[in-house]
Amino acid sequence: MASSRDYLFYVLDQLSLLEGISYKPMMGEYIIYYKDKIAGGVYDDRFLVKAVESAIRYMPSAQLDFPNQGTKKMLVVDNIDDKEYLKGLFDAIYEELPMPKVKGRR
């Protein structure tokens, strides 16, 4: 099931306290970037973030789930309605997020 643009825009609004948030559509879902690093995404109208140690500490009761078949598990964000909470989460995980892969020239 693809995610709705309405839900994407709700998530983006909830992340509005952060600078450097962007997204890219990907096969009916949306990848969320924070300062050019992949932080998570919107999958089946759920907001998930990478399961880095700082995210697990920040959301100890969050469920791990697969965003898509054949992918790594991610954390389902457990408090999407609190903008300050989400700002704290993204600030906490930023340093642990992997650097984007540099694409070579063809």
Side-chain angles (χ1 to χ4, degrees), residues 22-66:
S22 60
Y23 72 93
K24 287 186 183 174
M26 180 76 63
M27 299 185 308
E29 309 297 352
Y30 301 94
I31 308 298
I32 303 291
Y33 293 82
Y34 181 42
K35 299 179 184 175
D36 299 321
K37 293 182 177 182
I38 296 175
V42 174
Y43 305 93
D44 296 329
D45 285 339
R46 299 172 304 152
F47 182 37
L48 286 77
V49 295
K50 287 195 171 267
V52 295
E53 288 299 317
S54 52
I56 294 167
R57 283 192 305 274
Y58 197 88
M59 303 186 303
S61 62
Q63 293 179 312
L64 279 168
D65 202 355
F66 294 101

Side-chain angles (χ1 to χ4, degrees), residues 5-15 80-82:
R5 290 185 59 84
D6 288 342
Y7 189 74
L8 167 69
F9 292 136
Y10 174 72
V11 170
L12 294 174
D13 182 60
Q14 293 305 101
L15 297 171
I80 186 128
D81 297 324
D82 186 337

Side-chain angles (χ1 to χ4, degrees), residues 7 13 53 68 74 80 90-91 93 102-103:
Y7 189 74
D13 182 60
E53 288 299 317
N68 293 311
M74 297 175 78
I80 186 128
F90 272 58
D91 287 340
I93 68 173
V102 178
K103 295 181 181 180

